[in-house]
Amino acid sequence: MTPTTQPPGASSSPARVVVLVSGTGTLLQALLEACVDPSYGVAVVAVGADRDRIAGLDRARDRGLPTFVVPLREHADRASWDVALAEALAEHRPDLVLSAGFMKILGPAVLGRFVVVNTHPALLPSFPGAHAVRDALAHGVRVSGCTLHRVDAGVDTGPILAQRAVAVLPDDTEESLHERIKAAERELLVQELPRLLGR
Ligand code: GAR
C-alpha cells in the first residue's frame, strides 16, 4: 500500500514527527533536545506508546507534548489494535512516524497510511527482531551497530536509510554493548532525521 501522508517537502514550517516508544525513551530525549533549535526543521508533535507508566511518556509530558497510549490488550485482536493506533496517529497529522524503541510490530492500517521509520540496534539485515544485541553477541560478531530503516510489513526488513558501526569489546555484556549502540543511535537519528524529511 502507498502511504497517503503528504511526502515531506521543502517548507518553512518544521516537519511533524510522531514518536512511538515502549520504554526508556533516550532516543526520543535526544530528538527532543535537537528540536529545541528552530533551525533543526523538525518538531515532535506527539508521543505514543503501547503501555503507560514508562519513562518515554514522562519525557514527552515533561515538555508539555501530547501523548497517547494504545495498549494491545485493550483490543480484541492485532488488526483492531492496528486500526486504533492508526487513528491515534492520524490525529497528530504526522509527516513521519518514528518508531524509537517501540516493541510492537506495526500492521497494515498504520503502514498503509504513514511513512514509518524505525531505529534498530544492529546492522541489518543481520540480527532483526527484539533481541538484536543479545543475538549479535551470541554470534560472536566483532562489529555491530545501528540501522535506521523504513518499516515495511516484515520484521526489520524495510529499506535501509542509514547505519553506523559500533565495535564489540572483548568484555562486553548485552547491557554495555547496547548502551554504546544507543549512543550511536542517538547521534545517527538526530543527524539523519532532517535529511529524511527534506529539511
Ligand atoms: C534502542 O536501542 C532501539 O533501537 C531498540 O530499543 C532501544 C530503545 O532505547 N529498539 C528495538 O530493539 C526494536 N526492535 P530507548 O528506550 O532508550 O530510546
Side-chain angles (χ1 to χ4, degrees):
M1 262 194 275
T2 307
T4 56
T5 308
Q6 287 292 324
S11 160
S12 55
S13 57
R16 300 174 63 85
V17 172
V18 176
V19 182
L20 293 175
V21 295
S22 294
T24 316
T26 66
L27 304 182
L28 166 68
Q29 182 71 32
L31 187 56
L32 291 173
E33 286 166 14
C35 289
V36 169
D37 178 354
S39 71
Y40 186 62
V42 175
V44 175
V45 294
V47 175
D50 59 327
R51 65 198 68 186
D52 210 345
R53 291 187 287 279
I54 55 171
L57 288 173
D58 292 339
R59 293 176 197 274
R61 291 176 183 135
D62 286 349
R63 291 186 179 242
L65 286 173
T67 61
F68 58 90
V69 180
V70 186
L72 180 57
R73 67 173 181 282
E74 289 181 9
H75 296 272
D77 52 28
R78 274 198 170 258
S80 55
W81 171 77
D82 179 39
V83 169
L85 183 60
E87 284 169 6
L89 287 164
E91 285 185 24
H92 302 284
R93 296 178 290 108
D95 294 313
L96 182 146
V97 175
L98 175 70
S99 160
F102 189 65
M103 302 306 283
K104 292 274 186 302
I105 295 172
L106 297 166
V110 168
L111 298 179
R113 202 159 166 186
F114 305 104
V115 174
V116 185
V117 169
N118 180 51
T119 169
H120 182 77
L123 292 175
L124 293 172
S126 294
F127 311 115
H131 304 291
V133 180
R134 185 191 309 170
D135 294 346
L137 263 186
H139 211 85
V141 298
R142 301 297 194 268
V143 177
S144 189
C146 53
T147 303
L148 263 183
H149 68 99
R150 179 84 184 260
V151 178
D152 67 7
V155 177
D156 300 323
T157 52
I160 290 169
L161 303 169
Q163 289 186 309
R164 188 163 292 185
V166 173
V168 178
L169 304 178
D171 57 352
D172 258 333
T173 61
E174 182 179 353
E175 290 69 30
S176 66
L177 178 57
H178 199 174
E179 279 311 312
R180 285 205 316 290
I181 289 175
K182 290 211 299 184
E185 282 187 276
R186 291 191 280 270
E187 282 186 19
L188 187 69
L189 177 64
V190 167
Q191 179 185 305
E192 293 296 323
L193 200 61
R195 186 182 65 80
L196 297 178
L197 284 156
R199 296 307 198 270

